[in-house]
Structures are given as structure tokens and as C-alpha cells.
Amino acid sequence: YFPNGTLEQFLELRRSGTAEPEYTSYITNAKLFFGLIGGLYYLHEENIVHRNLTPKNIMIDKHLFPKIIDFLSICFFFPPLS
């Protein structure tokens, strides 16, 4: 369940000035940034490239952590054998 919608909706609330104060804090910014970096790191460690990472494909959960969605266009990559 994602009561905060997509990252695109979340950022639009912040831009419009109607976001809750909690949504604009440095802690929230850190959760979003490090959550996304951690998710991408995990995918790349598993040799997966998302190929369609946009604010519409990132959901924000009730604790303001990002979740990457829409894995329809992923690509597996395999490093060259040495």
C-alpha cells in the first residue's frame, strides 16, 4: 500500500507548497535518496538494469521510503568472462 503515491506526485506536492512539513525535511530527502541508491545498487548487483526509471515508477510508502516498480522493461546483463 502506497498512501503517498508516486515520486512524481510527491514532488509536485512539494513544488506547490501544499506538502506536509514532514515531506520537506532533510531526513525525508535522505530516505528518498539513499533508498533509491540502495535499490539501484541491489538491482545492479543482481545484473538487472531497470531501463525505465522515472518518478512515475517510484512509489513512496507510508514511512516515506521509495519503492521501485514497473519491471516490465528490465534487461539482464552479464559481465564478460575474463
Side-chain angles (χ1 to χ4, degrees):
Y1 175 63
F2 299 103
N4 294 305
T6 66
L7 181 60
E8 181 178 59
Q9 295 166 330
F10 186 83
L11 293 174
E12 184 55 40
L13 275 176
R14 289 176 64 164
R15 271 186 235 126
S16 68
T18 59
E20 299 289 328
E22 178 185 11
Y23 290 5
T24 59
S25 74
Y26 291 111
I27 292 173
T28 299
N29 291 341
K31 282 183 189 180
L32 292 172
F33 178 76
F34 289 109
L36 287 172
I37 296 301
L40 288 174
Y41 179 81
Y42 175 78
L43 290 175
H44 290 179
E45 285 292 305
E46 297 298 320
N47 297 322
I48 299 171
V49 178
H50 191 281
R51 296 187 343 163
N52 191 23
L53 193 63
T54 65
K56 289 180 183 178
N57 292 333
I58 300 167
M59 302 297 289
I60 309 297
D61 73 8
K62 66 181 180 177
H63 302 291
L64 302 176
F65 285 103
K67 306 293 181 191
I68 299 171
I69 62 168
D70 189 14
F71 288 90
L72 296 176
S73 63
I74 65 166
C75 176
F76 293 94
F77 70 91
F78 300 97
L81 298 174
S82 49

